Amino acid sequence: MSFNLSVTAVVPAAGIGTRMQAGKPKQYLEIAGKTILEHTLNALMAHPLVNHTIIAAHPDDTILPTLPFYKKSWLSVVQGGSERAHSVLNAVSTLPETAWALVHDAARPCLSVDDIGKLLALMKDESVAGGILATPVRDTMKRAHPTKSQIVSHTESRESLWHALTPQLFKAGELTHAIQAGLTSGTLITDEASAMEAVGHQVKLVAGNPANIKITHPEDLPLAAFYLSQLAQQHNKE
Ligand SMILES: Nc1ccn([C@@H]2O[C@H](COP(=O)(O)OP(=O)(O)OP(=O)(O)O)[C@@H](O)[C@H]2O)c(=O)n1
Ligand SMILES: C[C@](O)(CO)[C@H](O)COP(=O)(O)O
């Protein structure tokens, strides 16, 4: 049986980085001389099965066209939307229904090629619609009191609780329909898996490296710089 093994990376990059409180969208902040977005694209394109990337960019983005990779043949750009789900939908809906979409946050540059490979192995697993990189929760989880946000209401069980990361891998057609259904029904869609789960698809959890952090707040930058240096050292040893 032949499997469609070509993969398109889809990179939602239309956010404005409010929580980062920087003078520009966080994906354009630099680490080791490259923008965070460029680190992320390099990470994705390092896997031999990833042969194209679609970026969903903010309509007012004037930085992206100035970057060195902008005119590369392996890159396409679509307009992002008001929410991350809209940005992903605008990109994924341009793909053939049977294409594999590897959706990955622009704000997650510390992605290893090994973790991409672990997730792409799901393309041959017909028991699931796709899957996501994730890490098991390590800390005790507390639910705050609904009206007293600094007071503990109760302790949540951390049994079988995971942090969802990206990339998240699904067939473009199924993902397009799931996001459209979720947006129409008002389902909260904060990642691709939540849309797929809502319409009944099986989603596999693939344990990934917790270094694959989402750069969100200023204190994440030095941590990401450290993890990127570790990835570079590992790459140089290979
Ligand atoms: N309308 C949006 C909102 C977010 N994103 C992207 O989704 C990823 C994860 O979102 P987040 O970390 O929340 O980024 P921002 O929305 O930029 O951050 P903030 O919420 O602090 O403004 C980022 O790569 C961001 O660029 C997007 O493509 N379109
Ligand atoms: C997609 C994601 O990175 C998975 O953890 C996360 O849901 C993005 O959330 P954000 O609020 O858009 O940063």
Short mmCIF file of all heavy atoms in Angstrom, two decimals, residues 12-20 26-27 56 81-84 87 105-107 214-216, ligand 1:
data_model
loop_
_atom_site.label_atom_id
_atom_site.label_comp_id
_atom_site.label_asym_id
_atom_site.label_seq_id
_atom_site.Cartn_x
_atom_site.Cartn_y
_atom_site.Cartn_z
N PRO A 12 1.54 29.32 11.47
CA PRO A 12 0.79 30.50 11.85
C PRO A 12 1.75 31.54 12.43
O PRO A 12 2.41 31.28 13.44
CB PRO A 12 -0.20 29.99 12.89
CG PRO A 12 0.34 28.69 13.38
CD PRO A 12 1.22 28.15 12.31
N ALA A 13 1.87 32.68 11.75
CA ALA A 13 2.85 33.71 12.14
C ALA A 13 2.23 35.09 12.04
O ALA A 13 2.90 36.07 11.71
CB ALA A 13 4.09 33.62 11.26
N ALA A 14 0.91 35.17 12.31
CA ALA A 14 0.19 36.45 12.16
C ALA A 14 -0.10 37.12 13.50
O ALA A 14 -0.86 38.09 13.55
CB ALA A 14 -1.11 36.23 11.40
N GLY A 15 0.48 36.58 14.58
CA GLY A 15 0.26 37.19 15.89
C GLY A 15 1.06 38.46 16.07
O GLY A 15 1.99 38.74 15.32
N ILE A 16 0.69 39.24 17.09
CA ILE A 16 1.40 40.51 17.34
C ILE A 16 2.21 40.47 18.62
O ILE A 16 2.86 41.45 18.98
CB ILE A 16 0.40 41.68 17.37
CG1 ILE A 16 -0.63 41.51 18.49
CG2 ILE A 16 -0.27 41.86 16.02
CD1 ILE A 16 -1.53 42.73 18.69
N GLY A 17 2.19 39.35 19.33
CA GLY A 17 3.07 39.19 20.49
C GLY A 17 2.79 40.12 21.65
O GLY A 17 3.70 40.66 22.28
N THR A 18 1.50 40.29 21.96
CA THR A 18 1.14 41.23 23.05
C THR A 18 1.86 40.91 24.34
O THR A 18 2.42 41.78 25.00
CB THR A 18 -0.39 41.15 23.28
OG1 THR A 18 -1.06 41.26 22.03
CG2 THR A 18 -0.85 42.23 24.24
N ARG A 19 1.87 39.62 24.72
CA ARG A 19 2.44 39.22 26.01
C ARG A 19 3.96 39.41 26.04
O ARG A 19 4.56 39.48 27.09
CB ARG A 19 2.08 37.77 26.32
CG ARG A 19 0.59 37.57 26.65
CD ARG A 19 0.21 36.10 26.70
NE ARG A 19 0.11 35.53 25.37
CZ ARG A 19 -0.25 34.25 25.13
NH1 ARG A 19 -0.47 33.43 26.14
NH2 ARG A 19 -0.34 33.79 23.90
N MET A 20 4.60 39.51 24.89
CA MET A 20 6.05 39.69 24.82
C MET A 20 6.43 41.14 25.11
O MET A 20 7.55 41.41 25.55
CB MET A 20 6.56 39.26 23.45
CG MET A 20 8.06 39.38 23.25
SD MET A 20 9.04 38.52 24.50
CE MET A 20 8.81 36.83 23.95
N LYS A 26 6.82 39.12 18.13
CA LYS A 26 7.91 38.33 18.72
C LYS A 26 8.59 37.41 17.70
O LYS A 26 9.78 37.10 17.86
CB LYS A 26 7.39 37.51 19.89
CG LYS A 26 6.32 36.49 19.52
CD LYS A 26 5.73 35.84 20.76
CE LYS A 26 4.62 34.86 20.39
NZ LYS A 26 3.96 34.29 21.56
N GLN A 27 7.90 36.99 16.67
CA GLN A 27 8.50 36.08 15.68
C GLN A 27 9.64 36.77 14.92
O GLN A 27 10.45 36.12 14.27
CB GLN A 27 7.47 35.51 14.71
CG GLN A 27 6.64 36.52 13.94
CD GLN A 27 5.36 36.91 14.65
OE1 GLN A 27 5.30 36.91 15.89
NE2 GLN A 27 4.33 37.26 13.89
N ALA A 56 1.27 31.87 7.42
CA ALA A 56 0.11 32.77 7.51
C ALA A 56 0.59 34.03 8.23
O ALA A 56 0.97 33.97 9.41
CB ALA A 56 -1.04 32.11 8.29
N GLY A 81 -5.42 35.46 10.06
CA GLY A 81 -6.74 35.93 10.47
C GLY A 81 -6.73 36.49 11.88
O GLY A 81 -5.68 36.62 12.51
N SER A 82 -7.93 36.78 12.37
CA SER A 82 -8.04 37.45 13.68
C SER A 82 -7.64 36.54 14.83
O SER A 82 -7.21 37.00 15.88
CB SER A 82 -9.48 37.94 13.88
OG SER A 82 -10.38 36.83 13.78
N GLU A 83 -7.82 35.25 14.67
CA GLU A 83 -7.39 34.26 15.68
C GLU A 83 -6.45 33.25 15.02
O GLU A 83 -6.49 33.08 13.78
CB GLU A 83 -8.60 33.51 16.25
CG GLU A 83 -9.63 34.39 16.97
CD GLU A 83 -9.08 35.02 18.25
OE1 GLU A 83 -8.19 34.39 18.88
OE2 GLU A 83 -9.52 36.13 18.60
N ARG A 84 -5.69 32.54 15.86
CA ARG A 84 -4.75 31.55 15.32
C ARG A 84 -5.46 30.54 14.42
O ARG A 84 -4.97 30.19 13.34
CB ARG A 84 -4.06 30.84 16.49
CG ARG A 84 -3.01 29.84 16.08
CD ARG A 84 -2.42 29.14 17.30
NE ARG A 84 -1.46 28.12 16.91
CZ ARG A 84 -1.81 26.91 16.43
NH1 ARG A 84 -3.11 26.61 16.28
NH2 ARG A 84 -0.89 26.03 16.09
N SER A 87 -5.97 31.82 11.01
CA SER A 87 -4.70 31.84 10.26
C SER A 87 -4.37 30.45 9.72
O SER A 87 -4.01 30.28 8.56
CB SER A 87 -3.57 32.34 11.17
OG SER A 87 -3.82 33.67 11.59
N ASP A 105 3.74 26.40 15.40
CA ASP A 105 3.80 27.81 15.77
C ASP A 105 5.10 28.45 15.33
O ASP A 105 6.18 27.90 15.59
CB ASP A 105 3.71 27.96 17.30
CG ASP A 105 2.38 27.53 17.88
OD1 ASP A 105 1.36 27.66 17.18
OD2 ASP A 105 2.38 27.04 19.02
N ALA A 106 5.02 29.65 14.75
CA ALA A 106 6.24 30.41 14.44
C ALA A 106 7.05 30.65 15.71
O ALA A 106 8.28 30.75 15.67
CB ALA A 106 5.88 31.75 13.79
N ALA A 107 6.33 30.73 16.83
CA ALA A 107 6.96 31.08 18.12
C ALA A 107 7.62 29.89 18.81
O ALA A 107 8.00 30.00 19.98
CB ALA A 107 5.90 31.69 19.04
N LYS A 214 7.10 27.43 23.63
CA LYS A 214 6.49 28.52 22.84
C LYS A 214 6.97 29.84 23.46
O LYS A 214 6.67 30.13 24.62
CB LYS A 214 4.97 28.45 22.89
CG LYS A 214 4.30 29.51 22.02
CD LYS A 214 2.82 29.24 21.84
CE LYS A 214 2.11 29.41 23.14
NZ LYS A 214 1.99 30.85 23.54
N ILE A 215 7.70 30.60 22.70
CA ILE A 215 8.18 31.89 23.20
C ILE A 215 6.97 32.81 23.35
O ILE A 215 6.30 33.14 22.37
CB ILE A 215 9.22 32.50 22.25
CG1 ILE A 215 10.46 31.60 22.18
CG2 ILE A 215 9.61 33.91 22.72
CD1 ILE A 215 11.49 32.04 21.16
N THR A 216 6.67 33.17 24.59
CA THR A 216 5.47 33.94 24.89
C THR A 216 5.76 35.21 25.69
O THR A 216 5.26 36.27 25.35
CB THR A 216 4.46 33.06 25.67
OG1 THR A 216 4.22 31.84 24.94
CG2 THR A 216 3.14 33.79 25.90
N1 LIG B 1 -4.35 35.67 14.88
C1 LIG B 1 -3.24 34.93 15.11
C2 LIG B 1 -2.71 34.77 16.42
C3 LIG B 1 -1.56 34.02 16.61
N2 LIG B 1 -0.97 33.45 15.53
C4 LIG B 1 0.26 32.68 15.68
O1 LIG B 1 0.00 31.56 16.52
C5 LIG B 1 1.20 31.24 17.25
C6 LIG B 1 0.89 31.05 18.73
O2 LIG B 1 0.22 32.21 19.18
P1 LIG B 1 0.75 33.12 20.40
O3 LIG B 1 1.93 32.50 21.09
O4 LIG B 1 -0.44 33.49 21.22
O5 LIG B 1 1.30 34.40 19.61
P2 LIG B 1 0.70 35.88 19.66
O6 LIG B 1 -0.75 35.85 19.37
O7 LIG B 1 1.59 36.70 18.80
O8 LIG B 1 0.97 36.28 21.20
P3 LIG B 1 0.01 37.14 22.13
O9 LIG B 1 -1.17 36.23 22.48
O10 LIG B 1 0.89 37.40 23.33
O11 LIG B 1 -0.38 38.38 21.37
C7 LIG B 1 2.20 32.36 17.02
O12 LIG B 1 3.22 31.90 16.16
C8 LIG B 1 1.36 33.46 16.37
O13 LIG B 1 2.10 34.23 15.45
C9 LIG B 1 -1.49 33.61 14.23
O14 LIG B 1 -0.93 33.09 13.25
N3 LIG B 1 -2.62 34.32 14.05
#
